[in-house]
């Protein structure tokens, strides 16, 4: 159990770990807050990306010793390996910390074991974390953890559909199917991923900026890398958020491999019906976010391209994990459906 000061410290550690200047990969995002015996903050630290000091080392560097009886609050289990920096579990033991609060076990087999090492040194290790904070610690490195497990980035596909499953009218017009709240949420989604991916056809036809903007048009602090997949030509993307990465392939696995090699860990597919279908067919969509608009077209372009399905028994079933209404200032409401393709 955590006391109030410890809960506050963990919330703060999660907040500083999510520094928008720190990438989602190839290393996890980690925060650390050191408290004295009275629950006062002694120092804060966070990891700033591969090759830099770990969160615990960063916090210890900023704290004046001795730290006898201090509590370290960390968002991820302190490491035990000597990688680009020393083992954090040993650094905490050497500093004389008496209690360590850990929000999440490190799933990296090379680095884990900090809990046992700290306990063996007589340190009180607390793992009983309020569920909302444990969930936040898991969400913080969702893409990174997925990468460790699957060797590729997490893929979220986002599509906007009319009630009858259309993405565009017969003449190709598609702006706007959804209301303001749903459209703003897309920008928020872009800030939680590190990559936005579209096909070269979409880049040619729509000239999307793919930047993450606020309602007033200003850029968010965290901007995703923009990637365009396909072998065809596409013009420079507008929006002034850096060059788009061309992925000169039609193979979704190869595209993801290239992004993974660049340290990217969470891809938002915004590429339109064809690209969504290509990734779905390859079983490379982990999460589908549908903005469903209460409007009908009765014809026009379907929201998902050809899945190669010709009979009902072959349909692709998804599990619905969440339904949330998104109401715009003008009063119109769309639905956000979150779905996961069934793996079995
Ligand atoms: C911690 N604190 O702040 C971080 C940890 O590339 P390296 O050598 O820095 O090691 C990275 C691994 O260490 C990473 O995969 C993860 O398991 C752990 N990261 N551990 O105690 C930190 N960033
Ligand atoms: Zn470490």
């Amino acid at each position: 159990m955590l006391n109030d000061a410890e809960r506050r410290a963990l919330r703060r550690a999660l907040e500083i770990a999510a520094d928008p200047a720190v990438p989602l990969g190839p290393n996890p995002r980690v925060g650390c807050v050191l408290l004295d015996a009275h629950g006062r903050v002694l120092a804060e630290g966070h990891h700033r990306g591969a090759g830099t000091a770990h969160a615990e080392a960063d916090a210890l560097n900023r704290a004046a010793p001795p730290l006898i009886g201090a509590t370290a609050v960390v968002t991820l289990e302190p490491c035990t390996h000597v990688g680009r920096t020393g083992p954090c579990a040993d650094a905490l033991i050497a500093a004389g910390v008496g209690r360590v609060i850990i929000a999440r076990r490190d799933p990296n087999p090379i680095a884990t074991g900090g809990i046992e090492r700290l306990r063996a040194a007589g340190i009180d290790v607390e793992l009983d974390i309020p569920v909302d904070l444990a969930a936040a610690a898991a969400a913080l490195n969702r893409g990174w953890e997925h990468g460790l497990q699957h060797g590729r980035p997490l893929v979220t596909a986002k599509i906007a559909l009319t009630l009858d499953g259309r993405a565009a009218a017969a003449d190709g017009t598609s702006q706007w199917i959804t209301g303001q709240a749903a459209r703003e949420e897309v920008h928020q989604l872009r800030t939680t991923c590190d990559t936005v991916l579209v096909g070269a056809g979409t880049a040619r036809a729509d000239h999307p900026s793919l930047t993450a903007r606020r309602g007033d048009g200003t850029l968010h602090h965290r901007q995703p890398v923009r990637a365009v997949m396909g072998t065809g030509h596409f013009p420079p993307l507008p929006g002034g958020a850096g060059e788009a990465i061309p992925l000169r392939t039609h193979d979704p696995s190869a595209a993801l491999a290239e992004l993974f090699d660049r340290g990217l860990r969470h891809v938002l597919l915004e590429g339109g019906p064809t690209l969504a279908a290509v990734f779905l067919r390859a079983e490379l969509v982990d999460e589908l976010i549908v903005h469903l608009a209460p409007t009908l077209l009765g014809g026009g372009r379907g929201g998902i391209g050809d899945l190669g399905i010709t009979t009902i028994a072959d349909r692709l079933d998804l599990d619905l994990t969440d339904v949330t209404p998104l109401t715009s200032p003008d009063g119109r409401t769309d639905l956000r459906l979150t779905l996961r393709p069934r793996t079995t």
Side-chain angles (χ1 to χ4, degrees):
M1 281 276 280
L2 310 194
N3 63 35
D4 285 351
E6 292 169 344
R7 250 196 312 274
R8 266 198 306 279
L10 179 51
R11 228 173 258 128
R12 176 68 186 151
L14 288 162
E15 189 178 290
I16 55 180
D19 175 351
V22 178
L24 305 190
N27 270 18
R29 300 186 291 172
V30 186
C32 174
V33 173
L34 297 171
L35 300 176
D36 71 11
H38 307 287
R40 284 184 296 243
V41 175
L42 291 169
E44 300 178 346
H46 70 288
H47 184 53
R48 291 172 177 75
T52 70
H54 284 188
E56 300 87 330
D58 187 39
L60 290 171
N61 281 338
R62 293 163 200 268
L67 294 172
I68 311 296
T71 294
V73 181
V74 290
T75 59
L76 187 72
E77 179 184 24
C79 68
T80 52
H81 73 301
V82 181
R84 285 173 267 220
T85 63
C88 294
D90 295 354
L92 291 170
I93 294 165
V97 164
R99 172 167 161 86
V100 179
I101 294 164
I102 300 171
R104 191 157 179 86
R105 176 69 101 159
D106 189 338
N108 184 356
I110 297 161
T112 190
I115 293 170
E116 293 73 16
R117 192 176 292 185
L118 291 165
R119 282 189 171 144
I123 292 175
D124 170 28
V125 176
E126 180 62 82
L127 304 175
D128 185 8
I129 306 298
V131 282
D132 58 325
L133 299 183
L140 184 65
N141 290 307
R142 193 155 79 106
W144 175 74
E145 290 196 14
H146 184 278
L148 262 185
Q149 218 179 337
H150 301 279
R152 64 164 176 84
L154 182 71
V155 176
T156 299
K158 179 259 144 197
I159 51 176
L161 296 180
T162 64
L163 192 58
D164 51 340
R166 310 289 172 172
D171 68 355
T173 52
S174 60
Q175 289 182 344
W176 298 102
I177 288 175
T178 51
Q180 188 184 332
R183 298 202 307 269
E184 283 184 14
E185 192 183 74
V186 174
H187 288 271
Q188 193 53 45
L189 258 178
R190 287 177 184 163
T191 71
T192 65
C193 299
D194 54 14
T195 314
V196 176
L197 177 60
V198 298
T202 298
R204 267 196 307 275
D206 294 354
H207 302 282
S209 74
L210 305 179
T211 53
R213 298 182 300 281
R214 300 188 186 87
D216 63 3
T218 56
L219 292 176
H220 275 285
H221 289 307
R222 182 188 291 280
Q223 289 297 320
V225 165
R226 304 180 296 171
V228 179
M229 179 176 156
T231 50
H233 166 80
F234 65 90
L237 302 181
E243 276 309 297
I245 300 176
L247 300 169
R248 294 286 177 210
T249 177
H250 290 289
D251 174 0
S253 301
L256 290 181
E258 187 170 339
L259 296 172
F260 192 76
D261 286 347
R262 288 174 182 258
L264 298 164
R265 293 293 181 268
H266 192 172
V267 175
L268 182 65
L269 273 191
E270 281 199 59
T274 310
L275 198 69
V278 165
F279 277 77
L280 281 166
R281 283 178 89 145
E283 296 183 9
L284 289 172
V285 174
D286 303 297
E287 179 181 63
L288 188 64
I289 294 182
V290 177
H291 286 159
L292 190 64
T295 186
L296 296 166
L297 281 168
R301 193 169 188 206
I304 300 280
D306 184 10
L307 292 175
I309 297 169
T310 53
T311 188
I312 192 74
D314 293 346
R315 70 184 183 264
L316 198 157
D317 284 326
L318 304 115
D319 289 317
L320 187 60
T321 57
D322 182 69
V323 181
T324 300
L326 303 172
T327 301
S328 297
D330 66 3
R332 83 165 267 176
T333 298
D334 300 307
L335 284 183
R336 183 216 304 130
L337 313 181
T338 307
L339 306 114
R340 217 165 277 143
R342 233 173 250 175
T343 44
T344 50

